[in-house]
Amino acid sequence: MYYLGYDIGSSSIKVATVEALSGKKIITLQEPNEEMEIVSPHSNWAEQDPEVWWKHICIVTKRAIHGANIDASKIQAIGISYQMHGLVIVDKEGKPIRNAILWCDSRAVEIGNKAFNEIGTAKCMEHLMNSPGNFTASKLKWVRDNEPELYERIYKYMLPGDYIAHKLTEEIVTTKNGLSEGILWDYKNNNSADWLLEYYGIDNGLTPEIVNNFSNQGTVSDSAAKETGLPKGIPVTYRSGDQPNNALSLNIFNHGEVAATGGTSGVIYAVIESLNSKETERINQFAHVNYTEEKPSIGKLLCINGAGIMYRWLRNHGIDNSYENMNRKASKIDVGSNGVSVIPFGNGAERMFNNRTIGTHFCNLNLNKHSHGHLYRAALEGIAFSFVYGEILKNDHDAINVIRAGNDNLFRSEIFSNTVATLIGHEIEIYNTTGAIGAARAAGLINGNFIEFGENIIKNDHVTTYMPLKNIESYAHAYEHWKINLERLLNY
């Protein structure tokens, strides 16, 4: 028997199949091979057609069934991980009315800031645990204000994962976890934040029915079966935003446990059991996958939009077309990159700068002495420094017991991992898992046995542990040099 998991990213769609009993990986694939286009009709906008996600779901599902050489009738359940904070709006037929507005789209920043100021810090933090910020609710308000003819056609709004579940099952439902990611969940009253929608002038009837994120959320329909090659009737039993799901994939469920991600964006995601926060805007709080009213497990998220996308940009526009070559050249350069600093924040507004758009900057580049290797190392260091900057999350978190990361993206680089571990002063455990594998395994978690689930991950997936290096002085000096360049920009 098997479980199937999807990870719906803005770069690609990933799928994994695992053995139901052991959680052992059978196959992982992604579609397409090249990254999906992000449409940006205006500065700091980011959109994608949800039907493109579905097209790639269908292609990669057929590839996975064929490549794994399994009997698809033995797939017992499906789990879905998805890019957070996005907005998909559909009509009564369940068809998208416009492109999805993505997580990194900054058009609603001022709408969220205005709401935060008018509603007040106390109420927002007590009920929402966040500023409305640049999240799903504020993006929906933007549609109401700027595309009224489209707003009038809306039947339901959804998160990206809700839309893919709908395409699979023909059901339109969401979860409290998903609503919390869109700043649409009221923690104090334990229901959807209808009052925020009313403040925005939005009909709260647009909110889908709420289901548990570990439950039967619908079964594969006849039409979806024909398009994907899956048998009709397989239940969708799990959905989660990508960062809570990445934490689940790394066995991060308890207070003091931290998951780190170095993908297109960089994320530090720490679990606590408290509904209080010292940070009101730069860090965000979401209901973790195992959140209950009785045991409020909260994921505190520090997101850095400009992270892996910086290193990818260098690959796509440089002479080296592989990360392996780039890492090899970077490894020949000393810590500090001989004075070169890369400020990597070129992917929209950054929450840790109170939603300012800083941009990407190359500082102190000397055309007579610096090479591609210096740029590569400076980029890796600059992204690592952004994880450490200000220790915002550490200041808002009373215990860090363990830090874990997946063996993919930036954490495959020793330079990056060593820099973060050394400056944070804490070891980082690396695991051979992915969001799609985590979603597949989580499809079997209806029983809620998180302890056994986590023990299997620790036993089977651990790859290595990066320890803080002893020569911290060179790293600390490079970090201070980088901060000087950053703060010049912040104070400009």
Side-chain angles (χ1 to χ4, degrees), residues 157 179 184-186 189-195 197 204 207 210:
Y157 67 83
L179 291 177
L184 285 157
W185 184 253
D186 187 320
N189 296 325
N190 197 43
N191 55 28
S192 58
D194 292 345
W195 58 268
L197 292 179
N204 57 38
T207 302
I210 301 171

Side-chain angles (χ1 to χ4, degrees), residues 7 14 53 71 112 117 132 153 173 177 186 205 236 245 269 294 297 304 315 332 350 354 366 374 381 412 441 479:
D7 187 6
K14 301 178 181 68
W53 306 336
D71 181 351
N117 291 331
R153 293 171 54 200
V173 297
N177 310 75
D186 187 320
V236 173
N245 178 74
Y269 182 95
E294 298 74 26
S297 183
I304 305 146
R315 183 199 65 179
K332 296 179 180 180
E350 291 287 355
N354 294 310
N366 187 313
H374 290 93
E381 289 180 335
R412 295 178 64 182
R441 290 170 171 169
Y479 176 51

Side-chain angles (χ1 to χ4, degrees), residues 130-157:
N130 296 279
S131 162
N134 186 39
F135 294 101
T136 308
S138 300
K139 290 167 181 171
L140 185 57
K141 166 68 169 171
W142 184 92
V143 173
R144 180 189 179 280
D145 290 350
N146 294 275
E147 299 174 341
E149 70 288 353
L150 297 185
Y151 176 81
E152 292 301 321
R153 293 171 54 200
I154 299 175
Y155 174 62
K156 297 292 180 183
Y157 67 83

Side-chain angles (χ1 to χ4, degrees), residues 425-447:
H426 202 292
E427 62 268 25
I428 302 175
E429 300 175 7
I430 306 297
Y431 287 80
N432 187 23
T433 188
T434 66
I437 292 173
R441 290 170 171 169
L445 257 176
I446 289 181
N447 62 8

Side-chain angles (χ1 to χ4, degrees), residues 5 28 47 49 103 112 122 179 231 277 293 298 329 373 405 415 470:
T28 59
E47 302 181 354
D49 181 354
W103 58 275
L179 291 177
S277 174
E293 186 178 9
I298 300 294
K329 289 184 177 181
I415 292 172
K470 293 181 180 179

Side-chain angles (χ1 to χ4, degrees), residues 469-488:
L469 300 178
K470 293 181 180 179
N471 61 328
I472 188 173
E473 291 81 7
S474 59
Y475 287 89
H477 177 75
Y479 176 51
E480 291 302 319
H481 177 71
W482 179 87
K483 279 203 300 184
I484 290 171
N485 288 302
L486 171 63
E487 287 166 2
R488 282 176 182 154

